[in-house]
Amino acid sequence: MAKMRIKKGDTVQVISGPRESRGKQGKVIAVYPDTQRVLVEGINRITKHTKAGTTGRGARTGGIVTQEAPVHVSNVAMVDPETKTPTRIRTRLETVERDGRQKVTRIRVAVRSGKDLS
């Protein structure tokens, strides 16, 4: 299983797929590493038919619901925070002293601008 470089909360841009969603940017809602897919806000919206029923208060539920469907991680690219364009991600190792001990942490860096990604 390959490692996913995109995390929840990142802003990504769709780089391939249907013409209506190509080029759109959105925030990552969820990441599914086992299937290599990400759920992006406002991208790949589907209509789902849910069975009608009633809640405990007697309100009717069900009908047609519009929601996002997962997109494969290869079809999206991370957005550079400085230029707002798609970029690749590189990791930089940095040593941090915590509690008197040296600890190595990985920091994600945008290839295009060199800026750190949160």
Side-chain angles (χ1 to χ4, degrees), residues 62-114:
I64 299 173
V65 179
T66 306
Q67 64 184 42
E68 289 94 358
V71 181
H72 198 269
V73 73
S74 66
N75 295 332
V76 296
M78 186 77 180
V79 172
D80 195 323
E82 189 175 274
T83 60
K84 304 292 187 240
T85 55
T87 183
R88 296 186 309 279
I89 302 170
R90 189 169 285 148
T91 55
R92 182 182 76 230
L93 297 176
E94 199 171 90
T95 56
V96 180
E97 189 171 331
R98 215 178 277 158
D99 299 330
R101 291 190 304 189
Q102 297 287 332
K103 187 174 180 181
V104 178
T105 59
R106 293 171 193 253
I107 297 171
R108 296 185 306 157
V109 179
V111 172
R112 191 176 288 255
S113 66

Side-chain angles (χ1 to χ4, degrees), residues 1-6 12-18 21 28 30-40 43-44 68-78:
M1 184 168 64
K3 187 174 167 129
M4 306 245 320
R5 291 181 174 87
I6 294 176
V12 294
Q13 180 172 334
V14 179
I15 55 174
S16 69
S21 60
V28 176
V31 179
Y32 306 110
D34 52 331
T35 56
Q36 293 284 300
R37 291 181 176 270
V38 290
L39 196 64
V40 184
I43 306 295
N44 196 20
E68 289 94 358
V71 181
H72 198 269
V73 73
S74 66
N75 295 332
V76 296
M78 186 77 180

Side-chain angles (χ1 to χ4, degrees), residues 42-56:
I43 306 295
N44 196 20
R45 296 187 64 83
I46 59 166
T47 55
K48 192 172 187 180
H49 297 260
T50 57
K51 191 173 181 181
T54 55
T55 61

